[in-house]
Amino acid sequence: MKTELCKVDEALSILVGKWKPIILLHLFNENTLRFSELKRLMPNITQKMLTKQLRELEEEDIIERVVYPQVPPKVEYSISEYGKSLQPVLNVMHEWGSAHTQHMQGKRNEKILEQSQ
Amino acid sequence: MKTELCKVDEALSILVGKWKPIILLHLFNENTLRFSELKRLMPNITQKMLTKQLRELEEEDIIERVVYPQVPPKVEYSISEYGKSLQPVLNVMHEWGSAHTQHMQGKRNEKILEQSQ
DNA sequence: CTGCATCCTGGATGATACTG
DNA sequence: CAGTATCATCCAGGATGCAG
């Protein structure tokens, strides 16, 4: 991998955002979700942030947004065909993240053991 | 992957930082680099930021920091044994990032084509 | 050479109220 | 229901100067 061509940042820029990974996870799990359903699945997110993060993911072609012309409105979100290419990336990161949590827990335990001696 | 156990954020938290991916890339390429060498490889980073990002990576056990008790000081950084487990993660992200750049470029070209008709 | 302390700014996130 | 608008907050990152 050439230094000048490092594209890790490109992938990061898509995934970074306090709620993007969890939004993607829900959409991968459920295929299709309405705005209000996503909101319910993430009680702590504000409407503003949910809207914003969804817009950004849509902008990058990761998710699809379908508006049904109704009253009251109905909007459905789903992973785009292209967006599915992110699945393996998320999987690798998830697995490494899990391992890392355990690794660091091990480190902490070592420290406690040292101190108790 | 269970929603409650999503560890993508864990991986992200390690990699996020304006200079971390590029720092890691250099260290993977060169095995060992002094502080000043890293600085030279990244002309735009400030000393403060380089120090900070290195400290954070060290904190997470990704890199190793060796201080030689000399005057003037000499400090060498390298990827830790454990840190090498990040390589495949970075590779996957780099590859997806490259593909994404092309994908979005394709999208932009489509648009230009539409407009010229 | 390596690194810390201080001050500063923009952008990401949040709280809240309002709307078609 | 699915947003938008406004204001407030916080922190990563940058500029600069000092130090062992």
Side-chain angles (χ1 to χ4, degrees):
Chain A
M1 197 190 313
K2 294 284 185 55
T3 301
E4 323 81 57
L5 299 175
C6 177
K7 286 293 181 182
V8 173
D9 288 324
E10 184 71 21
L12 277 178
S13 71
I14 310 302
L15 266 10
V16 168
K18 190 166 173 182
W19 306 93
K20 282 178 188 168
I22 188 74
I23 288 173
L24 292 174
L25 185 56
H26 284 306
L27 289 177
F28 270 116
N29 279 341
E30 308 287 338
N31 283 321
T32 297
L33 286 169
R34 298 183 57 171
F35 185 89
S36 53
E37 293 173 323
L38 279 165
K39 179 81 181 68
R40 212 172 314 123
L41 289 169
M42 297 175 283
N44 291 328
I45 196 175
T46 61
Q47 288 184 331
K48 174 190 162 185
M49 282 311 296
L50 183 51
T51 301
K52 192 187 172 204
Q53 310 259 309
L54 286 169
R55 287 288 186 288
E56 290 173 7
L57 290 170
E58 190 194 358
E59 196 71 26
E60 298 293 339
D61 226 14
I62 309 297
I63 64 176
E64 269 175 15
R65 177 171 178 265
V66 179
V67 182
Y68 296 85
Q70 301 178 352
V71 178
K74 174 178 171 182
V75 181
E76 284 187 346
Y77 293 91
S78 58
I79 305 286
S80 70
E81 265 311 297
Y82 170 69
K84 290 177 185 170
S85 67
L86 255 183
Q87 178 106 58
V89 181
L90 292 172
N91 273 130
V92 168
M93 295 179 69
H94 170 75
E95 275 161 40
W96 188 87
S98 300
H100 185 64
T101 300
Q102 291 183 23
H103 176 82
M104 294 309 285
Q105 187 55 49
K107 284 278 163 182
R108 274 188 291 277
N109 289 340
E110 279 176 31
K111 257 192 182 168
I112 294 171
L113 206 57
E114 283 173 24
Q115 290 170 350
S116 68
Q117 284 174 352
Chain B
M1 197 192 310
K2 294 281 185 59
T3 301
E4 322 83 58
L5 299 176
C6 177
K7 287 292 182 184
V8 172
D9 288 324
E10 184 71 20
L12 276 178
S13 72
I14 311 303
L15 266 9
V16 168
K18 189 165 173 183
W19 307 93
K20 283 178 189 167
I22 189 73
I23 288 174
L24 291 174
L25 185 55
H26 284 306
L27 289 177
F28 269 115
N29 279 342
E30 309 286 337
N31 283 322
T32 298
L33 285 169
R34 297 183 59 170
F35 185 87
S36 52
E37 293 173 322
L38 279 166
K39 178 82 179 67
R40 212 171 316 122
L41 289 169
M42 296 174 285
N44 291 325
I45 195 174
T46 62
Q47 287 183 336
K48 173 193 164 186
M49 282 311 296
L50 182 52
T51 301
K52 192 186 172 203
Q53 311 259 308
L54 287 169
R55 287 288 184 289
E56 289 173 8
L57 289 170
E58 187 192 1
E59 194 72 25
E60 297 294 340
D61 226 12
I62 309 298
I63 65 176
E64 270 174 14
R65 176 171 179 267
V66 179
V67 182
Y68 296 85
Q70 303 178 350
V71 178
K74 172 176 170 181
V75 182
E76 284 186 345
Y77 294 92
S78 57
I79 304 288
S80 70
E81 264 313 296
Y82 170 69
K84 292 177 184 169
S85 67
L86 255 183
Q87 179 107 58
V89 181
L90 293 172
N91 272 131
V92 169
M93 294 180 69
H94 170 74
E95 277 161 38
W96 188 88
S98 300
H100 185 64
T101 300
Q102 291 183 23
H103 176 82
M104 294 310 283
Q105 188 55 49
K107 283 280 163 181
R108 273 188 290 278
N109 289 342
E110 281 177 30
K111 257 190 183 169
I112 295 171
L113 206 57
E114 282 172 24
Q115 291 170 350
S116 67
Q117 288 174 348

